[in-house]
Amino acid sequence: MKLKLAAILWLFLFTAAYALEARAETGYDAWLRYAPLEKTSISKYEDFPTNIAVTRDSVVLQSAQQELIRGIQGMLGVSLRPVPNQSGGRAIILGNVKDLRDRVPGLHPSREVAGEGFWLKATKLRGFDCLVVAGGSERGVLYGVFALLSKIARGENVASLDEIWQPYAPIRWANQWDNLDGSIERGYAGRSIFFENGNVRDDLTRVRDYARLLASVGINGCAINNVNANPRALEPDFLPQLARVADVFRAWGIRLSIAVDLSSPKLIGGLDSFDPLDPRVQEWWRNKVAQFYKQIPDFGGFVVKADSEGRLGPSAYNRTPADAANVIARALKPHGGIVFYRAFVYNHHLDWRDPKNDRAKAAYDNFHPLDGQFDDNVIIQIKHGPIDFQAREPVSPLFSGLEKTNEAIELQITQEYTGQQRHLCFLAPMWTEVLDFDMHAGRDSTPVKDLVSGKTFHRPLGGFVGIVNAGLDTNWLAHPLAMANLYAFGRLAWNPDLSPRTIAEEWTRLTFGNDSLVVSTIVNMQLSSWPVYESYTGPLGAQTLTDILGSHYGPGIESSEENGWGQWHRADKEGIGMDRTVATGTGFVGQYRPRVAQIYESPATTPDELLLFFHHASYGHVLHSGKTVIQHIYDSHYEGAARVDEFVRQWKSLKEHIDTARYDDVLARLEYQASHAIVWRDAICNYFLRESRIADASGRAGHFPNRIEAEAMQLQGYGPVEVTPWENASGGKAIECQQSQGCSASFPFTRVAGRYALDIVYFDQKNGESKFRVFVGDKLIDHWTADDQLPSTKIGADSSKRHRIDGLELHPGEQIRIKGIPDRDEHAALDYVELTPTPK
Ligand code: GCW
């Protein structure tokens, strides 16, 4: 059949399909949906090749070929016909550059296509319009195929393609923090796709599809277990199980790696020591590694977390991280393996009373003195900031503290401190800020991206590691919009010069289609989401003011203080922030190169958003913005919460433009986020109002005219309880029901007659499913079950939730009654209600 005719037929079918909304969108396919192209785009591909040829047979090239067939079938409705290469006709030809050069005379890229790079070239071969996907290697071909498919999905013209792309850095790795029992540390999207009950899962379908997703954005390696490593991962009987994962990964060009416990020689190896300088220990690692490569010839290597958060390390024998890293590196070297040694080494029993102590200094203090002592197949894996993935941190000074050592930047895709995939927080803007930051480590500019990729100091290895923690949830990361972070990580690791806007736009088009309203709305939401999240959770570089000792989720302002963990902000009655200057503080600023240190040493030159990271400022201190610190805290929290409401409105404008399943899912999440942003806002504003005793110039903080506290209602069965910390519930109190038949809280409506939104703020713990019913007079107007899995078994900010009843017609004198029925350890607790007139 002529393609033009086929195209017309497909056009017809697509329109019909769209009308019926035939595609079930679960999010499983993420950005690789290959949905039928929109009418406006499909005509661009009328002359698209119908044949496909591959220069040689290999598992990676087979994946590339199958992917192309699948994608073109989905988007253009054309079944590409596999043909032997050189057979003529309009074909897509896949192969590595060398093979193609031999077979297709006259095919010369304008510059070298090396390693994992690729060349996409539209050209005439034997008189036929062809598309060549040429890779510097088989992986390069695979990446080229994904790039080509992405262009088509986004409706780009491919008729005159001639593009060469090279990855910025060789290391583009994902890390998963999966435990062998199937749980995931800081995982927010279900259980492990790799492990269950101490073993690798039997069914590795999800692993295959995950590998495909990773490969599609150029990720070439993955460590699959928690860095808090279970030594069992090194047991001989576990190895064949790991080999099964490696087999699945291999087809997508992903190298497998695992995290190891440095004390394994002692824990499982039968030795009485794990001293890296003990020859028996060295021998143990050599043998262990040799066993690995027997079963997994392309094994990637090991990730090491040692002397950190209770993990044993070389300090047990007075040895250095270099001693420890090198013993493993030397075992791996003959096989081509790598050690990722994490720089996240710090003392979590720091004395908080000593104003000179500073956790931020740890990575540099531990690793800078060892520069030059690490073997060439060791990479120091450095978290992007000196503390721990906060809503805002400066860049780690260690990036410019190593010149003769390979390094990689560790970015966190799993949103541990940035809303745990319940809040929208697109991290590409944060990451590009970090990657573009000039560390002034040489005569010319030395942005972080050049330091980590090895360009600045000509290192053989280096690049990017992203902590993902994808799970068994159908859509991988729970929040449908959170997948943009995984996509962005891969794209930035490939090309950190891409702008967050470009990345967000690519992702949105691939994930939701090319409808311009959808694209512009989602891109704008994504791009503002990090500043918005920051504005209600972590002002002016004070870091995420969250519960440091528990969930790392809701507010927990004092939890970081007076303990050894060192995430201190030092708020008191006069001011807030840590003095990290050389002159009067901890001296952390001195770890930066002089031109950077100069910026941070003085509040006058420190940017507002990092002021409290570097300086202790009084509440009355005037920022560059012209506001005082305290007024900034009030304003940013009120503005931030209002901006989340704006997200809800923006999203609602897409109702007719997005499939129902994803539309509803995101809407529910945004509405929840809007309510949780208020919990954050109130906790932080009320806390600092009490501390500073300085009123909010706009009169908002501490005043809630539409609010009725639950403890002030007429209670039947319910009793008041104190909430700790006090600022995490309205008025510091809530009410709980201890009787199984249920309790009631009522209040009379006393305002003018009209339509109102009634917000009921209650607590939804994960250890029970209480039921709520709302009556006006005797009439039941709404009911629901508190069955969410928020990260808490107690009442407080983490479990706070809002149920909204909209457009409620109310008259003075009417009695509103909320009935709560407890379940197990959840006591149907209520915080307050708020009545807001509904605009006509
Ligand atoms: O941010 C902290 C997390 C830990 C994590 C640790 C690390 C895997 O709270 O859960 O442990 O960082 O990066 O090692």
Side-chain angles (χ1 to χ4, degrees):
M1 186 166 37
K2 289 270 300 167
L3 189 61
K4 273 192 185 146
L5 189 66
I8 293 167
L9 232 169
W10 267 94
L11 231 168
F12 173 76
L13 287 176
F14 292 164
T15 324
Y18 267 114
L20 293 172
E21 217 191 54
R23 276 187 82 82
E25 296 281 3
T26 61
Y28 188 76
D29 291 328
W31 53 84
L32 300 177
R33 290 156 62 245
Y34 305 135
L37 268 197
E38 299 83 357
K39 280 190 243 173
T40 41
S41 302
I42 200 153
S43 56
K44 292 180 192 157
Y45 307 99
E46 280 175 354
D47 295 322
F48 200 79
T50 47
N51 293 340
I52 181 166
V54 185
T55 54
R56 64 167 81 195
D57 195 25
S58 82
V59 284
V60 174
L61 290 179
Q62 269 171 28
S63 299
Q65 181 185 21
Q66 280 157 17
E67 190 70 22
L68 202 49
I69 293 173
R70 172 176 176 177
I72 297 302
Q73 178 73 59
M75 293 187 289
L76 305 181
V78 173
S79 306
L80 291 175
R81 198 162 58 95
V83 294
N85 65 83
Q86 312 209 19
S87 67
R90 281 183 294 131
I92 308 183
I93 298 153
L94 312 182
N96 68 42
V97 207
K98 207 179 140 304
D99 288 351
L100 284 166
R101 216 180 278 134
D102 296 345
R103 279 163 224 204
V104 192
L107 202 59
H108 290 300
S110 56
R111 57 197 167 87
E112 197 199 354
V113 182
E116 296 180 346
F118 60 85
W119 180 33
L120 300 179
K121 169 77 174 161
T123 186
K124 271 215 175 351
L125 294 176
R126 298 182 199 87
F128 292 99
D129 287 326
C130 289
L131 266 175
V132 175
V133 181
S137 63
E138 291 175 354
R139 277 205 191 104
V141 179
L142 182 62
Y143 301 148
V145 160
F146 279 116
L148 177 63
L149 288 168
S150 164
K151 282 177 186 296
I152 297 171
R154 291 179 284 116
E156 280 189 19
N157 221 318
V158 297
S160 49
L161 263 184
D162 188 1
E163 289 182 11
I164 295 172
W165 290 100
Q166 287 298 147
Y168 209 78
I171 298 296
R172 303 181 305 280
W173 280 66
N175 278 188
Q176 290 272 146
W177 287 347
D178 297 31
N179 296 312
L180 307 192
D181 67 3
S183 61
I184 305 182
E185 180 151 350
R186 313 296 175 192
Y188 310 109
R191 292 177 67 80
S192 172
I193 64 171
F194 296 100
F195 309 110
E196 186 62 89
N197 293 329
N199 290 308
V200 168
R201 285 183 176 280
D202 291 335
D203 180 359
L204 295 182
T205 313
R206 289 291 301 252
V207 172
R208 183 199 63 204
D209 293 341
Y210 183 50
R212 171 174 167 254
L213 275 178
L214 295 181
S216 74
V217 286
I219 292 170
N220 59 9
C222 181
I224 62 172
N225 62 324
N226 192 350
V227 287
N228 294 323
N230 184 333
R232 166 147 171 73
L234 285 176
E235 299 266 26
D237 74 308
F238 203 68
L239 186 47
Q241 304 193 35
L242 292 173
R244 286 179 48 233
V245 177
D247 290 344
V248 173
F249 274 5
R250 190 168 301 118
W252 298 99
I254 308 275
R255 285 178 87 180
L256 172 77
S257 147
I258 58 164
V260 292
D261 185 313
L262 204 76
S263 65
S264 297
K266 191 169 165 187
L267 277 178
I268 59 159
L271 299 183
D272 57 7
S273 163
F274 62 93
D275 177 356
L277 297 193
D278 182 329
R280 293 169 308 151
V281 170
Q282 296 169 353
E283 156 113 23
W284 188 86
W285 283 108
R286 264 198 305 279
N287 290 337
K288 184 52 68 186
V289 165
Q291 287 161 18
F292 262 73
Y293 280 88
K294 253 198 205 119
Q295 298 204 32
I296 310 175
D298 55 353
F299 184 65
F302 297 124
V303 181
V304 180
K305 171 177 179 177
D307 285 323
S308 165
E309 302 187 330
R311 314 294 306 174
L312 290 171
S315 69
Y317 300 93
N318 266 324
R319 310 295 187 205
T320 69
D323 296 328
N326 291 344
V327 62
I328 308 180
R330 282 168 201 164
L332 287 162
K333 175 93 177 172
H335 309 278
I338 302 169
V339 175
F340 294 83
Y341 200 99
R342 298 178 83 229
F344 190 60
V345 173
Y346 71 101
N347 170 6
H348 68 278
H349 298 291
L350 271 186
D351 181 2
W352 56 272
R353 292 171 205 82
D354 182 344
K356 294 289 173 195
N357 277 347
D358 188 356
R359 167 169 163 187
K361 289 165 72 177
Y364 186 96
D365 280 349
N366 283 308
F367 286 85
H368 168 71
L370 302 175
D371 190 21
Q373 294 181 32
F374 292 93
D375 283 8
D376 267 359
N377 60 330
V378 176
I379 295 176
I380 304 303
Q381 183 169 320
I382 307 167
K383 291 196 186 194
H384 81 258
I387 300 286
D388 194 6
F389 305 129
Q390 302 299 295
R392 165 92 58 178
E393 285 184 58
V395 164
S396 169
L398 185 58
F399 292 122
S400 58
L402 299 173
E403 296 191 9
K404 299 184 284 275
T405 306
N406 303 322
E407 52 184 72
I409 187 169
E410 185 180 295
L411 299 170
Q412 203 189 39
I413 295 154
T414 194
Q415 294 171 231
E416 178 180 354
Y417 286 95
T418 51
Q420 305 194 348
Q421 287 132 248
R422 293 177 186 273
H423 292 230
L424 177 65
C425 191
F426 179 54
L427 294 162
M430 175 201 276
W431 296 337
T432 40
E433 242 182 72
V434 169
L435 293 168
D436 289 342
F437 187 82
D438 189 350
M439 299 293 284
H440 291 289
R443 259 181 301 136
D444 302 324
S445 85
T446 57
V448 170
K449 61 189 170 195
D450 287 358
L451 287 159
V452 299
S453 59
K455 292 186 198 304
T456 307
F457 295 117
H458 312 290
R459 299 301 312 164
L461 280 177
F464 304 79
V465 178
I467 315 296
V468 193
N469 296 356
L472 278 179
D473 278 10
T474 306
N475 68 6
W476 306 95
L477 290 182
H479 197 313
L481 303 185
M483 283 298 271
N485 285 326
L486 176 53
Y487 182 84
F489 170 76
R491 296 293 286 136
L492 286 172
W494 180 275
N495 179 8
D497 295 333
L498 288 171
S499 75
R501 177 172 289 278
T502 303
I503 295 172
E505 184 170 331
E506 281 179 12
W507 177 80
T508 306
R509 287 179 183 279
L510 298 171
T511 306
F512 289 100
N514 294 303
D515 178 328
S516 58
L517 180 74
V518 172
V519 175
S520 63
T521 306
I522 295 182
V523 168
N524 287 335
M525 288 171 66
Q526 291 277 25
L527 289 179
S528 52
S529 60
W530 167 51
V532 166
Y533 182 82
E534 179 188 12
S535 72
Y536 60 83
T537 59
L540 303 169
Q543 307 165 63
T544 313
L545 297 178
T546 189
D547 175 9
I548 296 301
L549 302 173
S551 63
H552 299 184
Y553 182 57
I557 305 168
E558 284 181 357
S559 67
S560 57
E561 303 309 296
E562 306 194 357
N563 60 51
W565 288 96
Q567 289 183 231
W568 308 317
H569 52 66
R570 308 260 195 225
D572 57 24
K573 299 254 172 266
E574 311 309 321
I576 169 172
M578 251 191 82
D579 183 353
R580 293 186 153 107
T581 61
V582 175
T584 54
T586 67
F588 168 71
V589 170
Q591 295 185 339
Y592 290 97
R593 298 292 176 111
R595 283 178 64 190
V596 178
Q598 211 184 330
I599 301 172
Y600 294 140
E601 182 67 12
S602 157
T605 44
T606 304
D608 284 350
E609 68 268 15
L610 283 172
L611 179 75
L612 304 180
F613 194 91
F614 289 109
H615 305 280
H616 185 78
S618 70
Y619 292 115
H621 173 92
V622 179
L623 300 165
H624 298 300
S625 69
K627 288 183 185 178
T628 59
V629 165
I630 189 70
Q631 196 56 41
H632 175 95
I633 292 177
Y634 298 140
D635 289 352
S636 65
H637 286 79
Y638 274 86
E639 281 157 22
R643 292 282 296 279
V644 185
D645 265 337
E646 190 54 35
F647 289 160
V648 174
R649 272 192 291 279
Q650 286 173 284
W651 186 256
K652 282 184 173 167
S653 75
L654 303 181
K655 185 163 171 55
E656 305 302 326
H657 300 253
I658 287 183
D659 56 283
T660 327
R662 290 187 297 175
Y663 174 81
D664 289 346
D665 188 0
V666 173
L667 180 61
R669 287 170 191 280
L670 292 173
E671 282 175 339
Y672 164 75
Q673 183 183 352
S675 68
H676 204 230
I678 292 174
V679 174
W680 269 98
R681 178 197 76 188
D682 292 351
I684 293 182
C685 290
N686 291 342
Y687 181 88
F688 286 103
L689 177 64
R690 188 185 278 192
E691 282 293 286
S692 71
R693 304 169 311 277
I694 302 173
D696 169 11
S698 302
R700 298 154 303 185
H703 299 285
F704 305 100
N706 294 331
R707 215 170 260 194
I708 302 161
E709 296 294 344
E711 58 275 17
M713 294 176 192
Q714 212 180 313
L715 305 181
Q716 271 179 321
Y718 267 121
V721 283
E722 304 278 329
V723 175
T724 36
W726 64 270
E727 70 274 14
N728 282 2
S730 193
K733 287 193 175 63
I735 58 171
E736 280 188 341
C737 175
Q738 303 286 356
Q739 43 192 52
S740 58
Q741 74 273 27
C743 308
S744 287
S746 354
F747 60 96
F749 178 74
T750 54
R751 313 227 325 236
V752 288
R755 285 163 78 80
Y756 288 81
L758 172 62
D759 286 335
I760 296 153
V761 178
Y762 63 104
F763 297 93
D764 189 343
Q765 303 156 209
K766 62 179 175 186
N767 50 351
E769 299 191 353
S770 308
K771 291 193 165 46
F772 291 95
R773 290 185 200 146
V774 180
F775 300 84
V776 174
D778 289 336
K779 194 166 163 226
L780 175 70
I781 54 159
D782 206 352
H783 61 98
W784 71 94
T785 304
D787 56 2
D788 206 337
Q789 288 296 305
L790 290 160
S792 183
T793 53
K794 298 197 305 251
I795 58 170
D798 286 354
S799 55
S800 181
K801 253 200 123 164
R802 175 176 79 184
H803 184 85
R804 173 166 287 181
I805 305 172
D806 234 334
L808 189 59
E809 199 76 56
L810 290 170
H811 304 92
E814 278 174 334
Q815 195 70 11
I816 300 172
R817 182 165 65 95
I818 305 165
K819 175 158 192 194
I821 302 160
D823 175 54
R824 289 179 285 149
D825 294 323
E826 188 185 80
H827 303 295
L830 288 167
D831 191 357
Y832 65 91
V833 304
E834 210 162 83
L835 277 166
T836 334
T838 316
K840 289 250 155 49

